[in-house]
Amino acid sequence: MREAETAEPAWDPYASGCPSRDVLDRIGDKWTVLVLGELADAGPQRFTALRKRVSGVSEKMLTQTLRALERDGLVLRTVYPTVPPRVEYELTDLGHTLRDPLDAIKRWAKEHMGEVLAARASYAAEAGGAGSGGAGSGGVKSAPQPATARR
């Protein structure tokens, strides 16, 4: 066989239709980051304990997130044959490989939250109080007008 036939595919998340884009969407999801972080920090957990620890997540959203993570091989769901059945969720070996990147993102967020809040306040002030949801410059400042054109 030639080398080209045995090589891994060149995954490109910037290419439309590439499955790696779906993986990035999953990993970058708000609830995914929090669920993976909690499972990494606390180990195997039952659904109700996980829902209590991930404040604000609905039962439906947590269920969808856990199913997607299980489908992608990042979380293992174990059902114990008890009455009622006991179900636990834990990171797989593949899921554990995300621990360091997610810790880095969490650390970055904690270290730079003040700067982000200041940027948001500045943006809102420049956009006339429209806040982050309104139309505005998107962080791009307008070039100053020549002195003769100013009124």
Side-chain angles (χ1 to χ4, degrees):
M1 275 188 161
R2 294 187 325 234
E3 185 178 329
E5 293 176 18
T6 61
E8 285 282 324
W11 304 115
D12 182 4
Y14 296 101
S16 176
C18 182
S20 63
R21 186 178 287 189
D22 292 336
V23 173
L24 285 178
D25 286 344
R26 168 59 41 213
I27 294 168
D29 175 72
K30 168 171 103 173
W31 298 119
T32 295
V33 170
L34 297 174
V35 167
L36 290 176
E38 179 58 25
L39 291 174
D41 292 344
Q45 292 196 41
R46 296 178 73 171
F47 184 91
T48 52
L50 195 53
R51 185 163 179 227
K52 286 178 186 176
R53 293 287 301 149
V54 181
S55 180
V57 68
S58 69
E59 186 173 325
K60 178 182 177 183
M61 187 53 63
L62 182 56
T63 298
Q64 289 175 352
T65 300
L66 288 167
R67 283 184 183 156
L69 292 171
E70 184 181 7
R71 181 195 69 222
D72 289 343
L74 301 172
V75 167
L76 175 66
R77 179 179 182 264
T78 304
V79 180
Y80 294 94
T82 60
V83 177
R86 186 181 71 168
V87 179
E88 283 187 348
Y89 297 90
E90 64 184 302
L91 293 182
T92 62
D93 289 342
L94 182 60
H96 276 287
T97 65
L98 287 169
R99 188 175 193 156
D100 288 341
L102 292 177
D103 282 346
I105 291 169
K106 183 170 60 174
R107 207 171 31 256
W108 182 92
K110 289 179 176 181
E111 290 172 6
H112 296 282
M113 199 62 233
E115 295 166 84
V116 170
L117 291 174
R120 287 179 182 176
S122 175
Y123 179 89
E126 288 179 17
S132 62
S137 64
V140 178
K141 292 191 176 194
S142 299
Q145 295 181 358
T148 56
R150 291 187 185 169
R151 293 186 181 163

